[in-house]
């Protein structure tokens, strides 16, 4: 059970202290939305604004994307770059992203100050909408969500609702085994005991399908894709200055046509570029306007990386990257 | 477009990425030794099998190739010492995502050395037969108007 109010208080105090002492340039965190209970990212520059910072199960974004943008910014001519660290509030899955970014020498450790918060699962806003269908519209922004062990208690003016966690949680949280931040300067909350469960139970049904069924399944899913590239844009590990899908010269790898083969190419190449790096933060699936289960694509690769090459991304900075390393005894005569 | 209802009439188009030092020389040897093998493979010579970005393979499948053959030196024999170890990892990962699309049977990674002309002929015969069994690449339909 997580006491969100207590965590929120600790986050605010820490951010205020850092901003007052000038240790950090600014703090990236979450604030309450205006007309929605869903939290949105906020940048806090002044210590008196630190009270805006919010914490709750609806803090879904992976804020490390802003961190990548911060370190990639080039100062204007004649300007001294401000190299002070940036404060950031992270969930365990986001902290894994930071580990991966440090491993790839994108974000130096000294450029970031991390407030690591424990998380026992975040709520999918779409599932919440369904659960709140009986709540009057004008009350929705003011609801309070409390963690009650196996269920969430949703408080508003009327009778409090009790919804089982399984109905509300994001898919990634249902199978997540890392509930404590991996890297942090300040640890917020009480350490959660490590859970032991089958990480890949959510893709078991897809793996059991025959080739034709799987092809039909993905054909249906990928035909929906409108190639808005939101999944790429939100991914903190897609930090290339020029993306292969934007480039048309010297060779146009991906036609701009939106049809199945091109969508297939896009999603496969995106998944390949994240092979052994993706930490399963679920950002791509969260932003997808067409509800394509994009995360599943990455999870197949996560599974292969773990089972065949013993590579688990986002745990240790010292670990080697999957494609940056090889082992003479790697299994696999042929590809099977 | 010619109707290809009968599977026996279907001639698969295979894109073969062959490494310059082993497999390409192996293919050359197969030719010089006059071993018969199906003419379905279109060879692209690359300097090392690790030059093959999984993107190349995916592009070939997107554009309607029925199969892709990647051939390099045997592990341990790479001209660049470690290239084919890296290929092995990449293709193992690629295979996993192709598998979930039901397309993994169309990508073949084989080790063929410069002295294995006979083996090259066997490999090509083998995968041509497999692809004939499998039928055309579903993405091919895009080009049939």
């Amino acid at each position: 059970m997580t006491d969100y109010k207590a965590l929120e208080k600790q986050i605010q105090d820490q951010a205020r202290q850092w901003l007052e002492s000038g240790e950090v340039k600014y703090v990236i965190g979450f604030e309450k939305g205006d007309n929605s209970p869903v939290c949105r990212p906020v940048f806090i520059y002044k210590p008196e604004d630190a009270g805006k910072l919010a914490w709750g199960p609806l803090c879904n974004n992976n804020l490390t994307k802003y961190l990548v943008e911060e370190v990639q910014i080039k100062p204007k001519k004649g300007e001294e770059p401000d190299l002070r660290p940036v404060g950031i509030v992270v969930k365990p899955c986001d902290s894994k992203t930071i580990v991966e970014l440090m491993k790839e020498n994108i974000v130096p450790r000294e450029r970031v100050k991390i407030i690591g918060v424990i998380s026992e699962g975040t709520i999918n806003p779409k599932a919440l909408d369904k659960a709140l269908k009986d709540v009057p519209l004008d009350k929705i922004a003011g609801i309070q969500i409390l963690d009650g062990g196996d269920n969430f208690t949703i408080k508003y003016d009327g009778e409090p609702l009790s919804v089982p966690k399984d109905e509300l949680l994001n898919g990634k949280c249902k199978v997540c085994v890392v509930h404590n931040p991996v890297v942090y300067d300040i640890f917020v909350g009480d350490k959660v005991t490590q859970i032991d469960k089958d990480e890949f139970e959510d893709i078991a049904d897809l793996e059991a399908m025959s080739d034709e069924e799987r092809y039909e399944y993905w054909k249906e899913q990928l035909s929906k894709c409108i190639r808005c590239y939101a999944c790429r844009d939100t991914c903190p590990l897609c930090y290339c200055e020029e993306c292969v899908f934007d480039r048309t010269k010297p060779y146009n790898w991906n036609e701009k046509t939106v049809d199945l083969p091109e969508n297939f190419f896009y999603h496969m190449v995106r998944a390949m570029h994240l092979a052994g790096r993706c930490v399963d933060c679920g950002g791509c699936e969260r932003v997808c306007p067409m509800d394509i289960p994009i995360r599943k694509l990455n999870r197949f690769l996560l599974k292969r990386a773990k089972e065949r090459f013993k590579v688990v991304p986002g745990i240790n900075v010292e670990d080697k990257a999957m494609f940056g390393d090889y082992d003479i005894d790697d299994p696999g005569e042929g590809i099977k | 477009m010619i109707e290809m209802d009968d599977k026996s009439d279907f001639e698969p188009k295979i894109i073969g990425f062959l490494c310059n030092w082993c497999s390409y020389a192996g293919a050359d040897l197969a030719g010089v030794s006059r071993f018969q093998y199906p003419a379905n493979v279109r060879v692209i010579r690359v300097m090392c099998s690790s030059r093959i970005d999984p993107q190349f393979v995916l592009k070939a499948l997107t554009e309607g190739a029925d199969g892709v053959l990647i051939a390099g030196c045997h592990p341990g024999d790479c001209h660049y010492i470690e290239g084919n170890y890296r290929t092995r990892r990449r293709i193992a990962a690629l295979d996993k995502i192709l598998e979930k699309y039901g397309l993994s049977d169309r990508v073949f990674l084989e080790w063929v050395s410069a002295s294995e002309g006979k083996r090259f002929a066997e490999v090509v015969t083998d995968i041509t037969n497999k692809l004939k069994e499998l039928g055309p690449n579903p993405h091919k339909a895009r080009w049939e108007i």
Side-chain angles (χ1 to χ4, degrees), chain A residues 274-323:
Chain A
L274 289 168
R277 305 166 64 226
C278 173
V279 296
D280 201 16
C281 74
C284 38
E285 201 167 289
R286 182 179 64 83
V287 295
C288 184
M290 306 309 284
D291 291 331
I292 301 169
I294 308 173
R295 233 186 77 248
K296 279 191 183 159
L297 319 181
N298 297 328
R299 288 185 64 72
F300 276 89
L301 283 171
L302 262 174
K303 189 172 181 189
R304 169 118 325 174
K306 190 176 177 185
E307 283 177 355
R308 197 176 264 208
F309 306 121
K310 310 276 173 285
V311 176
V312 182
I315 298 299
N316 192 346
V317 185
E318 306 296 320
D319 284 353
K320 284 265 178 61
M322 177 155 111
F323 290 154

Side-chain angles (χ1 to χ4, degrees), chain A residues 220-249:
Chain A
E220 191 193 326
Q221 296 297 335
L222 294 187
S223 306
K224 291 194 286 188
C225 179
I226 53 171
R227 294 250 298 284
C228 61
Y229 297 128
C231 43
R232 176 200 66 182
D233 292 341
T234 197
C235 181
L237 290 167
C238 280
Y239 50 66
C240 292
E241 290 191 7
E242 194 182 8
C243 179
V244 61
F245 302 118
D246 291 339
R247 195 158 66 186
T248 50
K249 276 175 184 173

Side-chain angles (χ1 to χ4, degrees), chain A residues 206-207 211-212 214-216 218-219 222 244 247 251-255 257 259-265 267-269 271-273 275 296-298 300-301 303-304 307-309 311 321-336, chain B residues 51 53-64 68 70 74-76 80-111 119 134 137-143:
Chain A
L206 252 172
E207 283 197 316
D211 274 7
E212 288 82 30
R214 250 199 309 260
Y215 183 78
E216 286 305 314
W218 284 110
K219 190 175 160 185
L222 294 187
V244 61
R247 195 158 66 186
Y251 183 62
N252 188 4
W253 278 102
N254 198 2
E255 303 287 336
T257 333
D259 63 1
L260 183 66
E262 294 301 335
N263 289 351
F264 156 88
F265 181 81
H267 284 279
M268 298 282 262
V269 172
M272 271 316 283
H273 285 183
K296 279 191 183 159
L297 319 181
N298 297 328
F300 276 89
L301 283 171
K303 189 172 181 189
R304 169 118 325 174
E307 283 177 355
R308 197 176 264 208
F309 306 121
V311 176
M322 177 155 111
F323 290 154
D325 190 28
Y326 66 91
D327 190 348
I328 292 175
D329 301 323
D330 271 346
E333 184 64 23
I335 55 174
K336 296 296 172 208
Chain B
R51 171 69 182 85
D53 193 321
Q55 214 164 292
F56 297 176
V57 180
L58 292 169
K59 186 74 176 170
L61 290 173
T62 310
E63 304 273 316
V68 178
I70 300 155
H74 285 271
Y80 306 101
I81 319 291
E82 57 182 34
N84 48 14
Y85 290 126
R86 293 178 186 277
T87 316
R88 191 164 62 180
R89 277 210 167 189
R90 269 177 221 157
I91 302 304
L94 174 71
D95 171 58
K96 188 70 185 170
I97 44 171
L98 280 169
E99 186 187 304
K100 68 179 191 234
Y101 283 94
L103 286 174
S104 79
D105 293 347
R106 297 183 183 276
V107 179
F108 304 86
L109 175 64
E110 295 286 350
W111 311 124
R119 186 171 142 70
L134 214 58
N137 179 355
H139 286 165
K140 209 178 203 167
R142 176 194 190 194
W143 306 102

Side-chain angles (χ1 to χ4, degrees), chain A residues 132-203:
Chain A
L132 292 180
K133 60 179 186 300
D134 296 333
V135 178
L137 273 179
D138 55 326
K139 300 265 165 53
I140 284 184
I143 62 162
Q144 259 195 339
I145 299 176
L146 300 176
D147 189 351
D150 286 336
N151 50 13
F152 283 112
T153 314
I154 302 172
K155 272 192 177 171
Y156 65 106
D157 280 355
E159 185 74 16
L161 286 172
S162 181
V163 189
K165 271 194 173 174
D166 262 5
E167 270 180 36
L168 286 184
L169 285 184
N170 279 314
K172 61 163 180 171
C173 300
K174 286 181 194 163
V175 290
C176 172
V177 288
V178 182
H179 287 194
N180 297 313
V182 187
V183 58
Y184 51 84
D185 290 294
I186 300 296
F187 190 93
V188 174
D190 304 319
K191 267 210 162 90
V192 184
T193 41
Q194 208 67 30
I195 320 132
D196 195 31
K197 64 176 166 188
D198 179 18
E199 262 189 274
F200 297 106
E201 58 184 17
D202 56 332
I203 51 171

